[in-house]
Amino acid sequence: QVQLVESGGGLVQAGGSLRLACAASGRPLSIYNMAWFRQAPGKDREFVTAISRSGANTAYADSVKGRFTISRDNAKNTVYLEMNSLKPEDTALYYCAADRTLRASVLPTTTSYDYWGQGTQVTVSS
């Protein structure tokens, strides 16, 4: 079983940038497709982005395309989320998640992921 720990959240003004990291331990990150989700107060957890085991395939929610970039460094057992041009509506608790099924495709649904971190808070002020 893999353990995931997110970091890098914080308070930033609209238009600013943050870089989140998700560090894995217990198993090599390279065997998992990985994703970032977010959850704002009173709302359902929503898909943000995902990346395949090799990093060759990615997927993004329409709301973050062109602003957010997912990447991974399997040698460092870490997945990153670079967030630029942040908006107040990006405010949420951000979670990373791992898919243990070895499927080829990355999927945007919470039920496709088996392991979750505790989340890191991102707050964007207007």
Side-chain angles (χ1 to χ4, degrees), residues 86-106:
L86 282 161
K87 305 175 181 180
E89 51 264 43
D90 295 318
T91 295
L93 191 59
Y94 282 71
Y95 299 90
C96 69
D99 173 5
R100 67 179 179 179
T101 63
L102 299 178
R103 71 183 100 228
S105 57
V106 293

Side-chain angles (χ1 to χ4, degrees), residues 5-65:
V5 178
E6 303 93 337
S7 63
L11 174 64
V12 64
Q13 288 188 329
S17 299
L18 282 175
R19 189 192 197 202
L20 306 184
C22 172
S25 61
R27 298 291 300 275
L29 191 71
S30 59
I31 66 174
Y32 301 101
N33 288 342
M34 297 295 296
W36 288 94
F37 287 78
R38 67 187 182 186
Q39 189 166 18
K43 295 188 176 181
D44 292 336
R45 193 168 297 188
E46 66 173 0
F47 173 75
V48 177
T49 180
I51 188 168
S52 61
R53 289 184 297 281
S54 68
N57 297 317
T58 58
Y60 292 90
D62 288 343
S63 58
V64 306
K65 278 181 182 176

